[in-house]
Amino acid sequence: MTAPARISQQDMDRAMKAIAKAGFDRARVVMDLANRRIEVIIGETPAAGAGEGEAEDYDAEDR
């Protein structure tokens, strides 16, 4: 028998819908399975045409 999901797909769907409903264009979603929580890091909306197609560097220590 398998263990129940720590974070369900429904939980992730709720988080993603909340981000979209709040009107944010960019967000980073981090699943903390050990503590059974979802952390949402909201990003700024980029200026029109700035940075399109560029990957953003992310350092976990900067959180």
Side-chain angles (χ1 to χ4, degrees), residues 17-30:
K17 286 180 183 179
I19 293 167
K21 188 174 181 179
F24 289 101
D25 294 334
R26 299 179 64 173
R28 181 177 180 92
V29 179
V30 179

Side-chain angles (χ1 to χ4, degrees), residues 23-47:
F24 289 101
D25 294 334
R26 299 179 64 173
R28 181 177 180 92
V29 179
V30 179
M31 295 183 294
D32 184 357
L33 300 178
N35 295 318
R36 297 182 181 191
R37 69 179 197 168
I38 300 171
E39 181 177 342
V40 178
I41 303 167
I42 302 299
E44 296 179 14
T45 302

